[in-house]
Amino acid sequence: MMKLVRNLNWDWFVQFRPFYKRVLNFGNEMMKGHCKILVFQTFNGLVAIGSLVFFVVAMSCAFLYLFPSVPPVVNSYPVSNSSSSSIDECDVFEGRWIQDESYPLYNASECPFAEIGFNCFANGRKDRGYAKWRWKPKNCDIPRFDVRAVLEKLHGKRIVFVGDSLSRTQWESLICLLMTGVEDKKSVYEVNGKKITKQIRFLSVHFSSFDLRIDFYRSVFLAQLASVPIRSPKRVKSTLRVDKLDDISREWIDSDILIFNSGHWWTPSKLFDMGCYFQVGKSLKLGMPITTGFRIALNTWSSWVETMVNTNRTSVFFRTFESSHWSGRKHNSCKVTQHPWSSSWGKDRSTISDIIIKIVKKMKVPVTILHVTPMLSFRSDGHVGTWSENPSVPDCSHWCLPGVPDMWNEILLNLLPRNQVSLK
């Protein structure tokens, strides 16, 4: 607090000095001809006190104006390297962000699988404090990331991410985290020699020394896109078969860890404005709301998991909606802060997330919900902003790497069943 006061621009308050003097002079003038009259003495005293109170209030308002939000000062503290048994018993997504100088855990510029568009350091971001926060659950702790132990336990596994670009970000994050424990970086490669881009539907990175594959499948809706039915209105350019899963879903089955996400493309701008409408069977559903379409698609997905995935072998996860931090009346303004918000401002809830949670809870097979919505609501500082390949287009949806997605993977690895991978 003293540092803030010392750095305060006191010239702002000097503007009040003439007003303060005028108020006192007014009282003195009133006193000159009537100094013996007690009422004027009392008036002068009240004026002086009132002006002093006004001055203090003005100083307070100016301070709040110049410093609208002071982030909470949270000291870091050591965390055990061993896995705590209580992590299985607590809600790991209920907690807070705390500062930790041991972060970030990798340099994105040294990871060939981190997109340049997400490497905010390389794209000119000067403040690096956003990469020095870790998530602290309320009633347990997340063990320190031990890359060698993780690599050994993931030996021979196949991890599959399915979803949109935010799923791809988590995929890139996990690869970069694990590469810090690989001595021969050339032993890690994309199996088809592809460069990481937004359009490619399938990417697979092989850690040859550990016989580990980490795949990404681009399926932004999880449901199947279809051609326009006969005799459809002209505004219909394509349909989304919410009663059918994506046609590449058969490639997801043979995996040990399967992580899904969807939600950011379920908007009018990505659907109706593009001429894409919902379809169930042969029936075109022009009036179906987006939330209804999403609910049907998620039920289709849940049925597929229950019938097609061997959950005795495959650990299935579904990540909830990731909070974006667009602002303004048209939600087109992107203000990236230097610190996390001290309040969630209502972004800790999402209709999409509520649908996911409700459907998963009804499933007959075990699926773990990565309920990241509340924890991400505070991270207004972690977005790409203007530090991307195209700084003229701000981005308050995607996240910088290293950064927030790294914590998703730390949590993911610690939520795996003990017979799948143990970090003890």
Side-chain angles (χ1 to χ4, degrees):
M1 177 64 73
M2 292 302 297
K3 183 177 179 182
L4 292 173
V5 173
R6 286 197 299 270
N7 293 335
L8 193 59
N9 186 356
W10 292 98
D11 292 340
W12 191 90
F13 300 109
V14 174
Q15 299 176 15
F16 287 95
R17 192 177 298 165
F19 171 79
Y20 183 76
K21 288 183 176 181
R22 286 198 299 270
V23 173
L24 291 179
N25 288 337
F26 173 75
N28 290 332
E29 290 296 327
M30 293 291 292
M31 286 291 294
K32 283 182 179 179
H34 311 278
C35 61
K36 294 182 180 181
I37 301 176
L38 180 60
V39 66
F40 285 103
Q41 292 178 337
T42 304
F43 178 77
N44 191 61
L46 290 173
V47 169
I49 293 172
S51 60
L52 180 61
V53 171
F54 178 85
F55 184 71
V56 172
V57 172
M59 289 178 63
S60 301
C61 292
F63 185 85
L64 291 174
Y65 177 78
L66 293 172
F67 305 99
S69 177
V70 180
V73 178
V74 186
N75 294 323
S76 178
Y77 56 90
V79 179
S80 171
N81 288 324
S82 62
S83 177
S84 170
S85 59
S86 64
I87 197 168
D88 295 327
E89 303 166 6
C90 81
D91 181 357
V92 73
F93 299 103
E94 180 184 359
R96 60 194 176 110
W97 291 96
I98 65 173
Q99 292 175 312
D100 192 324
E101 289 299 319
S102 67
Y103 283 72
L105 300 178
Y106 62 89
N107 183 344
S109 297
E110 297 175 356
C111 178
F113 304 101
E115 292 179 55
I116 185 62
F118 298 153
N119 187 351
C120 298
F121 290 170
N123 293 324
R125 185 166 182 175
K126 301 300 182 184
D127 63 296
R128 301 195 173 192
Y130 71 90
K132 295 185 175 295
W133 294 84
R134 67 178 172 86
W135 182 250
K136 170 64 178 71
K138 183 179 179 180
N139 297 317
C140 58
D141 212 346
I142 299 172
R144 288 292 185 188
F145 182 68
D146 185 341
V147 63
R148 293 299 299 183
V150 173
L151 282 169
E152 289 297 334
K153 297 300 181 180
L154 291 178
H155 192 284
K157 305 292 186 184
R158 182 187 180 220
I159 304 174
V160 174
F161 289 89
V162 181
D164 53 29
S165 56
L166 290 158
S167 181
R168 191 177 70 250
T169 308
Q170 186 178 4
W171 174 78
E172 294 176 23
S173 163
L174 181 59
I175 294 169
C176 292
L177 283 168
L178 297 181
M179 281 194 71
T180 61
V182 178
E183 295 180 6
D184 182 9
K185 306 300 183 186
K186 292 183 179 180
S187 67
V188 183
Y189 55 89
E190 205 287 319
V191 294
N192 296 313
K194 295 178 181 177
K195 183 181 179 181
I196 313 302
T197 65
K198 299 178 181 179
Q199 288 74 29
I200 297 178
R201 293 207 72 190
F202 169 65
L203 292 162
S204 178
V205 169
H206 188 213
F207 287 70
S208 58
S209 300
F210 298 90
D211 191 25
L212 168 65
R213 274 183 57 185
I214 307 180
D215 298 346
F216 166 70
Y217 289 88
R218 186 175 184 269
S219 180
V220 298
F221 296 112
L222 300 183
Q224 186 177 127
L225 286 167
S227 56
V228 181
I230 300 173
R231 292 186 292 275
S232 296
K234 289 185 178 181
R235 71 176 185 272
V236 180
K237 307 299 180 185
S238 63
T239 65
L240 187 63
R241 289 290 305 271
V242 290
D243 59 334
K244 283 192 174 184
L245 211 60
D246 197 320
D247 55 5
I248 59 173
S249 58
R250 60 184 178 277
E251 299 179 28
W252 311 338
I253 299 172
D254 185 24
S255 59
D256 299 284
I257 303 166
L258 186 53
I259 308 103
F260 294 92
N261 99 290
S262 187
H264 279 269
W265 279 63
W266 292 82
T267 63
S269 62
K270 299 289 188 181
L271 288 165
F272 306 149
D273 294 352
M274 303 295 291
C276 183
Y277 293 85
F278 300 127
Q279 181 179 344
V280 177
K282 296 181 179 180
S283 178
L284 188 61
K285 305 293 183 180
L286 293 176
M288 181 179 284
I290 287 178
T291 52
T292 303
F294 184 74
R295 187 177 294 107
I296 296 173
L298 259 290
N299 278 317
T300 302
W301 166 84
S302 67
S303 297
W304 177 85
V305 172
E306 290 173 345
T307 57
M308 300 298 294
V309 178
N310 178 9
T311 53
N312 290 323
R313 173 202 170 183
T314 305
S315 298
V316 182
F317 296 83
F318 203 115
R319 198 175 74 248
T320 59
F321 191 79
E322 303 88 353
S323 304
S324 58
H325 291 82
W326 295 97
S327 58
R329 287 191 301 174
K330 296 183 179 180
H331 299 283
N332 58 355
S333 177
C334 179
K335 182 181 179 182
V336 178
T337 60
Q338 289 192 14
H339 302 278
W341 281 352
S342 57
S343 171
S344 65
W345 296 105
K347 291 183 176 291
D348 56 337
R349 290 292 302 274
S350 162
T351 302
I352 292 291
S353 294
D354 292 343
I355 293 173
I356 294 169
I357 293 169
K358 186 175 181 179
I359 290 176
V360 169
K361 284 184 176 179
K362 292 181 178 179
M363 293 180 67
K364 300 175 184 177
V365 297
V367 173
T368 302
I369 300 171
L370 298 175
H371 190 27
V372 300
T373 309
M375 65 185 289
L376 298 185
S377 62
F378 301 96
R379 294 308 307 271
S380 54
D381 61 318
H383 290 294
V384 171
T386 57
W387 298 284
S388 65
E389 288 181 288
N390 187 358
S392 64
V393 180
D395 186 348
C396 263
S397 294
H398 295 93
W399 307 93
C400 295
L401 289 180
V404 171
D406 304 328
M407 203 70 242
W408 304 345
N409 285 317
E410 288 195 69
I411 293 172
L412 168 70
L413 293 169
N414 280 282
L415 288 179
L416 290 172
R418 293 298 176 229
N419 62 351
Q420 179 70 271
V421 54
S422 174
L423 304 186
K424 291 183 179 180

